[in-house]
Amino acid sequence: MALLILSVVFMAVAQANALMVPGVIKSGVTPEQATAAATAIPVLSLSGRLCIGLLGDTFDKRYLLAASFGMQAVGLALLAVPSNGALLWPFVLLFSAGYGGPIPLRTGIQAEHFGGAALGTIQGMVLFIISIGTLLGPIVVGWLVDQTGEYYSGFLLAAAMVGLAAVLVLLVPRARRGASAWGRPRCTSARSGYRSAGCAPNSVACAGSNVTCGWPFKAPARAMPGMRRSCT
């Protein structure tokens, strides 16, 4: 599900990047304005990366990711409306904020769901799928423009694809409670007064101790300071 979402989104974003400058120029925008808008998008996306990334530490990342995709979809839909360039900068503002947000959220969601034990493998799979979507997007939209002779249908297709991704994100289940994102044990200690959300099924209870450590993965990670890996 997650890989499908990423493929759809980056295919649509690649379509938008391929279409934007020639598309808005054909709608009546000067080449200078089109170039300025294309340059502003990656610069303004930095604010989305920072602000939405910070919000991800407090709120459910799935909802924030869906909102980011929604902003991209609305921005792309604005370009599908004939306006002689009047909606160019509203598109830039919405699309930029939504474009920057998924970058920190994606890695956070990966860590919450899969932990850090296989993070490199998962990241490689994700980037591979993203590359496929980025490759196919301009090809598909270029064919569509050749068939229709105009760019509005391409913008509308990209908006629909990102909107679909926003809905699919909401179907992703919440990360399991009690699992540690980076392979550290979740522990319950009467001595320290710290209580976790819960322990993994293969937790280890140490005899003669009031500490119980749950390991989320088959291969235990480094023990927390002051706690034993197993009972000996």
Side-chain angles (χ1 to χ4, degrees), residues 108-119:
I109 291 175
Q110 287 175 215
E112 287 180 349
H113 281 77
F114 306 111
L119 190 60

Side-chain angles (χ1 to χ4, degrees), residues 154-170:
F155 290 130
L156 192 59
L157 174 62
M161 292 176 67
V162 181
L164 173 62
V167 175
L168 293 177
V169 165
L170 298 177

Side-chain angles (χ1 to χ4, degrees), residues 119-129:
L119 190 60
T121 301
I122 295 170
Q123 186 75 352
M125 293 175 59
V126 167
L127 294 178
F128 176 73
I129 294 298

Side-chain angles (χ1 to χ4, degrees), residues 75-213:
L76 290 169
L78 292 179
L79 288 186
V81 178
S83 62
N84 293 324
L87 297 177
L88 176 61
W89 288 103
F91 152 75
V92 169
L93 294 175
L94 279 172
F95 186 81
S96 299
Y99 181 72
I103 296 175
L105 294 176
R106 174 173 57 82
T107 52
I109 291 175
Q110 287 175 215
E112 287 180 349
H113 281 77
F114 306 111
L119 190 60
T121 301
I122 295 170
Q123 186 75 352
M125 293 175 59
V126 167
L127 294 178
F128 176 73
I129 294 298
I130 287 174
S131 299
I132 293 177
T134 304
L135 173 66
L136 293 179
I139 297 174
V140 171
V141 78
W143 176 84
L144 183 62
V145 171
D146 289 340
Q147 296 300 311
T148 61
E150 46 87 15
Y151 291 87
Y152 296 121
S153 57
F155 290 130
L156 192 59
L157 174 62
M161 292 176 67
V162 181
L164 173 62
V167 175
L168 293 177
V169 165
L170 298 177
L171 300 179
V172 174
R174 186 188 298 271
R176 182 173 60 88
R177 293 183 63 188
S180 174
W182 298 104
R184 295 192 299 265
R186 288 291 197 183
C187 299
T188 300
S189 172
R191 182 171 55 207
S192 65
Y194 170 82
R195 295 189 59 82
S196 71
C199 289
N202 57 340
S203 60
V204 177
C206 298
S209 172
N210 57 359
V211 176
T212 300
C213 295

